[in-house]
Amino acid sequence: MLARDRLLGDRGGVHQAGRLAPEALREALTDLHEFWLTVHAAQAGVRSDSEGIALVAVGGLGRRELVPYSDLDLVLVHAGHKGIGRDVDTAAEQLWYPLWNSGVGLDHSVRTVDEALDVAGRDLRTALGLLDARHVAGDQALTKQLAGGARDAWRTGVRKRFDEMVSSARRRWQRSGEVAHWVEPDLKHGRGGLRDLAMLDALALAQLVDRPSGEVSQARKLLLDSRTELRRIAGRPRDVLMPQDGDEIAAVLGIGDRFALARALSGAGRAVAYALDVALRTGQPGPRKVLGVLRRTPTRRPLAEGVVLHGDEVTLARDVDPSKDPGLLLRVAAAAARTGRAIAPGALIRLGESAPEPRAPWPAEVRQELVSLLGAGEGLIDVVEALDRTGLWARLFPEWGAVRDLPPRDAAHVWTVDRHLVQATAYAARLVTTVSRPDLLLIGTVLHDIGKGRGTDHSIVGAALATQVGERLGLPDKDVATLSAMVRHHLLLPHTATRRNISDEATVRRVVDTLDGDPVLLELLHGLAEADSLATGPGVWSDWKAALVADLVARCRQAMAGERPEGPKPLDDAQRALAESVAASGKPDVIVDTGPVATITLVAPDHPGLLSQAAGVLALHSLKVHAAELRAHVGVAVDTFHVSPRFGSLPDEALLREQFTRVLSGSLPLAEKLAAKERDYADVPDDPPLARVLWFDDEADGGAESADVVLELRAADRLGLLHDVAAALERCGADVLWARAMQVGGTAIASFSLASTSPTHGSPDWRREIEKAVLGAC
């Protein structure tokens, strides 16, 4: 359709003067497609004076909410072949084929009214679609019969289909996630998206709930406008909004930047999800007669002082006065989280109107209710959402406002900052038996990123806020200091374990000194590291990372107990024997030990360039290197790499040995093969992060002769990155003693301990030379 293409011709960032606003564009697309359909329907014999046949629009066209590149949902409804005096199939072909030829997606059917209603009675998606039925061409009386019959059948049968509708929605949410809190929200199918708005409309049409509120109507417009612009920019059907799309969409909608848009969409998704949650509870089928006897009114079961379970909702006891009970809010919340039941909307309203903020310092029993709530596990998530939606969570934590709906700044996070904090606390609830102070673990976890969104180091700001919160909660001074230190150093263990050589005594000593030798703080940070990583995103907490952090914690405990931590593990007898064999034969060898994180040992006569060659061979087999230990015996390098496959399985040991030997002999063009591999399996993002080099001194015990320093590189991850960086370091004459690497989203963070006998080693000039070479390799 040329006219449609002209309407959408300003996509791709070119803002023409005549560009239509999103709502106007939807109207124009609807009018354009409807005009086109009317003309072609008339050519097919479906005209305004036709009897017994009609063209009916459902879906987006039926609602007049047609977004770019949407399929057309059409029903050719008829009174039966004998009742219309013409060939229905021929009319359908004359309608459908021009649409297909023009490249318009089409979801179509040809049915009588009774057939359509029969299908709707068996298929929930069809039943919901027919609620939006709107006449396009032909016999209006037939359209009215179909639309009226569909709506009447929905109103009378919705109670029987209620459970099916809820189950279908939950399966969809499981697949598509949430609009609120997700970094890459599915605007249509996600929880709190446009499909949920259609469910709210359907429930309202059946008079099970009230019409959506003004807040929900505003959310609908933002979701529709964002989806319209997303598809206009993409030039194809797309419903998942990626961060890189955000700035352009935000500019069109007048919302600032992509972070402001993400917060606005998160708020919209929360409004829709909360409205639907309430609707699904209040709209549930009521009491029915069983054998002629009405079911009994739901019982009220006590859960805590002033808190009862009424049916499936947690609510207030009849004689309770929220204004005189500062702990009631938390008792209600803890009971709901513990039982997995929702708080009744009426109870939330009463608490919002009259529940006081607990007076600082909080009484011990109120603080204990907070710990009980935070320790409820998965039940915590929906409860905090309900409290936050009604302003009650901010009554407990006024500091929460800066992180509410705040999108993260790195790609590894899948949640907004506020949901990440709650998810992490739910994970921490599983770890309370591993620490001596479970209360501090839970409170510290819910606060660990509270300093984000304030334009400076979130750990430092967060530590100050944690002190403020701890004092308000009435914690003893020592516990306040521990809580503040948890927030200040919540990244210390995972960063050290994955970026430094933890077998180095200097590394362990630095961690112990940072924590003032406090073993309680150490175990709390260990639990927090796991909970934080699990709540960040898939794959962030791996077996490898868990083992590294546990090893670091064990070494720190030894040091805190006055024992000397274990040093680097020496070569074992088998490795020494293999090195001696290679020294005698001159032929390199390879050993592969399998496991969750495999160990590959490459043994060869020591020579400059060996690290880059070994890294290149591993990259050819799509192996991700997590750590490298570079040692030697009798003039033979024994380089051990801890690896895991990026995809597939580990390579065969014999093949690795053969390729390693060929690379060392020069018969395998490593650079050429690696470049081809990267072209075939390109995994660098379209807009990669800017590569950056950081230097750290006094982080290794290399001795005065080598004066080791640590170089940390942050760059877009790719298959050959370690090979290229190692080659750059080798060209500069720097010896790599050990290497660590981790991936955060699409970013690689790699650390190298560098030694050199050069007289300029460690000088500013030497560092500039190294830095230039490494960045060039990226």
Side-chain angles (χ1 to χ4, degrees), residues 30-161:
T30 300
D31 291 341
L32 175 65
H33 285 82
E34 193 166 326
F35 174 77
W36 191 94
L37 288 169
T38 302
V39 171
H40 282 73
Q43 294 172 356
V46 185
R47 293 180 290 270
S48 59
D49 59 349
S50 300
E51 293 185 3
I53 189 168
L55 181 62
V56 180
V58 296
L61 185 61
R63 294 188 301 273
R64 296 192 61 83
E65 294 178 350
L66 198 64
V67 299
Y69 306 103
S70 284
D71 291 351
L72 299 184
D73 295 325
L74 299 171
V75 181
L76 189 62
V77 61
H78 60 93
H81 288 270
K82 295 182 179 179
I84 61 172
R86 66 173 60 84
D87 187 345
V88 176
D89 294 334
T90 299
E93 288 180 2
Q94 291 176 342
L95 272 170
W96 308 152
Y97 276 103
L99 285 170
W100 289 328
N101 291 336
S102 66
V104 176
L106 184 62
D107 187 354
H108 63 91
S109 61
V110 181
R111 295 188 176 107
T112 65
V113 170
D114 288 342
E115 288 171 345
L117 295 178
D118 180 62
V119 172
R122 292 180 279 107
D123 182 75
L124 179 63
R125 184 171 178 271
T126 302
L128 292 171
L130 287 178
L131 299 181
D132 298 318
R134 188 171 60 83
H135 182 73
V136 175
D139 189 344
Q140 292 195 36
L142 202 60
T143 300
K144 186 176 181 180
Q145 183 183 353
L146 173 64
R151 290 164 189 168
D152 289 343
W154 177 254
R155 290 188 186 99
T156 57
V158 65
R159 293 183 179 277
K160 294 180 181 178
R161 312 193 73 162

Side-chain angles (χ1 to χ4, degrees), residues 492 496-497 499-514 552 556 698-701 710 738:
L492 177 64
T496 302
R499 304 181 189 182
R500 299 292 179 267
N501 181 15
I502 59 177
S503 63
D504 192 327
E505 187 176 348
T507 300
V508 176
R509 185 171 60 248
R510 190 180 69 257
V511 173
V512 171
D513 291 345
T514 300
L552 174 61
C556 289
D698 303 322
E699 298 218 9
D701 279 341
V710 173
W738 53 259

Side-chain angles (χ1 to χ4, degrees), residues 612-757:
S612 62
Q613 292 172 322
V617 171
L618 299 177
L620 283 179
H621 293 276
S622 301
L623 295 174
K624 185 183 298 184
V625 176
H626 302 284
E629 298 172 74
L630 313 178
R631 292 170 291 181
H633 179 61
V634 295
V636 171
V638 182
D639 296 348
T640 302
F641 298 86
H642 301 281
V643 303
S644 61
R646 291 176 182 263
F647 41 81
S649 56
L650 287 170
D652 179 71
E653 185 176 286
L655 178 60
L656 268 177
R657 183 179 297 111
E658 183 264 337
Q659 288 194 339
F660 186 45
T661 301
R662 289 184 59 198
V663 166
L664 296 184
S665 68
S667 63
L668 179 67
L670 180 59
E672 179 183 329
K673 292 287 186 182
L674 194 52
K677 180 85 173 183
E678 287 199 314
R679 285 195 300 271
D680 293 339
Y681 297 93
D683 54 0
V684 178
D686 296 333
D687 185 21
L690 186 67
R692 183 184 180 198
V693 167
L694 302 175
W695 294 93
F696 299 90
D697 296 296
D698 303 322
E699 298 218 9
D701 279 341
E705 294 181 359
S706 58
D708 308 338
V709 294
V710 173
L711 178 150
E712 183 174 292
L713 170 67
R714 303 178 185 181
D717 188 28
R718 56 183 175 83
L719 282 173
L721 181 63
L722 180 59
H723 164 269
D724 292 347
V725 172
L729 292 171
E730 290 160 355
R731 287 194 297 272
C732 294
D735 290 334
V736 179
L737 303 180
W738 53 259
R740 291 284 186 275
M742 66 176 293
Q743 287 70 39
V744 179
T747 301
I749 301 175
S751 300
F752 303 86
S753 177
L754 305 182
S756 173
T757 57

Side-chain angles (χ1 to χ4, degrees), residues 13 87 98 109 116 141 150 221 241 291 380 394 421 442 469 542 572 637 750 766:
D87 187 345
S109 61
K221 185 177 187 308
L241 193 152
L291 299 177
L380 171 71
L421 290 173
L442 295 169
V469 173
S542 61
D572 59 31
W766 181 83

